[in-house]
Amino acid sequence: MAIKTGRYGKVSYDPTGAGGVTLVQIISLNAWKLSVKTDKEDVTCYGDTNKVYVPGMKDIAGSVSGFWNSNETTLFEAADAPTPGMLELMPNDTENTFKWSGLAYIDADIDSSLSAPKVSGTFAAAGPWTGPVGP
Amino acid sequence: MPPDTSAIDAALLDRLGADALLKTLAPHGVWFDEAPAGAIKFVIVSLVDAVDVDQHGGHAYEDLLYAVEYRELKQAEAQSKARQAAQRIRELLDDQPLTVTGYTWMATYRERPERHTEVDDLDASIKWNRRGGQYRVQMAVGT
């Protein structure tokens, strides 16, 4: 294991939600972000010397982005889908066991100006997610 | 195997070099960076800037900026062809698709016109008309 480039990152999606071998890479993307944050409730009391929190529920959300490619409409189909699909995010496909995945609802955007049109999407968890496990 | 960026250069030279009207205006040819000694009416194509724009797994497209200039030795008795040549270059390139193996054409367009008179450093009586423009060529990697 080592620090790897994001150049070989990969975003895959399966609209059926099954995942595994039915995942298909969404092509022409060049970035993704995942945010895993847990709500923190402020439980600071009289006499505490600093603020104190207790954790609440973990939230999973993020974004993907890249270029518009007329061969790739998955993001927009996902945005129209009434049911969540399986989304898989990989930082580098040469380490394909290190990834985050789970059911997600996806919204999609396209930004078209005089340069190459860009697409982007945001997602929110629609079920439990799994992440990479360290050595 | 990745596509050959030089093939884009070649396609540009071929497009300009094959045009009959431009041949009459620039009879000494279309060249990359420099023309042969003795040439006095020609077109020079130079690469000004180039960027590989990436996507996950490799290159998405190549974004190249070329200077394309008609050059002629200024001669008192001869009528300049610079205006016509620059216009013909524009007709041949501006928004005109290029076919290059390994790429899919995205765009070709003039980004800015160029017009200069170049005076020789050693002999101020030698002057060159230079006219054309900077042309952006964008080619998606893959077909």
Side-chain angles (χ1 to χ4, degrees):
Chain A
M1 276 192 282
I3 295 172
K4 298 276 190 177
T5 174
R7 181 178 178 81
Y8 305 113
K10 188 176 177 183
V11 176
S12 303
Y13 185 74
D14 171 18
T16 70
V21 296
T22 56
L23 284 162
V24 175
Q25 182 176 9
I26 303 177
I27 61 170
S28 299
L29 298 183
N30 61 8
W32 61 263
K33 283 185 181 178
L34 174 69
S35 172
V36 181
K37 291 179 178 170
T38 303
D39 292 337
K40 307 289 192 307
E41 185 179 359
D42 186 343
V43 293
T44 311
C45 296
Y46 295 139
D48 286 340
T49 56
N50 50 259
K51 281 195 162 190
V52 178
Y53 299 88
V54 293
M57 189 65 80
K58 183 170 71 176
D59 188 19
I60 289 180
S63 63
V64 299
S65 58
F67 298 103
W68 164 251
N69 180 333
S70 56
N71 289 324
E72 180 56 85
T73 54
T74 301
L75 276 182
F76 295 91
E77 289 163 10
D80 278 339
T83 55
M86 179 64 65
L87 185 64
E88 182 183 87
L89 308 168
M90 206 177 283
N92 186 303
D93 67 5
T94 64
E95 287 185 323
N96 59 16
T97 59
F98 291 86
K99 59 195 175 190
W100 286 261
S101 63
L103 289 173
Y105 287 110
I106 294 178
D107 291 319
D109 291 277
I110 181 166
D111 178 358
S112 185
S113 61
L114 291 183
S115 56
K118 316 289 190 302
V119 296
S120 60
T122 55
F123 60 86
W129 272 58
T130 58
V133 178
Chain B
M1 182 188 291
D4 179 7
T5 302
S6 296
I8 302 173
D9 304 342
L12 210 53
L13 292 180
D14 288 349
R15 168 68 55 80
L16 297 168
D19 182 65
L21 175 55
L22 194 58
K23 273 181 186 168
T24 64
L25 299 168
H28 298 140
V30 179
W31 304 93
F32 203 88
D33 280 344
E34 57 183 277
I40 60 168
K41 289 181 180 178
F42 52 91
V43 173
I44 289 291
V45 176
S46 308
L47 190 59
V48 176
D49 190 27
V51 177
D52 289 332
V53 182
D54 291 340
Q55 61 188 7
H56 282 150
H59 299 306
Y61 65 94
E62 298 184 20
D63 188 333
L64 307 120
L65 184 66
Y66 293 93
V68 183
E69 280 189 350
Y70 169 77
R71 297 182 187 179
E72 67 179 6
L73 184 63
K74 208 167 181 176
Q75 294 168 310
E77 72 280 8
Q79 188 179 5
S80 171
K81 303 291 185 192
R83 180 176 178 173
Q84 287 171 268
Q87 181 60 20
R88 187 59 185 160
I89 289 169
R90 187 175 188 184
E91 288 168 356
L92 292 170
L93 298 182
D94 215 13
D95 295 314
Q96 298 303 311
L98 277 179
T99 302
V100 183
T101 301
Y103 296 93
T104 301
W105 179 77
M106 291 171 64
T108 305
Y109 56 92
R110 193 179 74 178
E111 206 162 82
R112 58 175 60 90
E114 299 275 357
R115 181 177 180 175
H116 312 282
T117 299
E118 181 181 326
V119 181
D120 189 89
D121 288 341
L122 299 177
D123 182 350
S125 70
I126 299 174
K127 296 178 181 176
W128 291 85
N129 286 324
R130 297 171 50 177
R131 203 179 302 195
Q134 291 193 4
Y135 287 84
R136 190 164 293 281
V137 178
Q138 294 174 319
M139 302 292 289
V141 174
T143 53

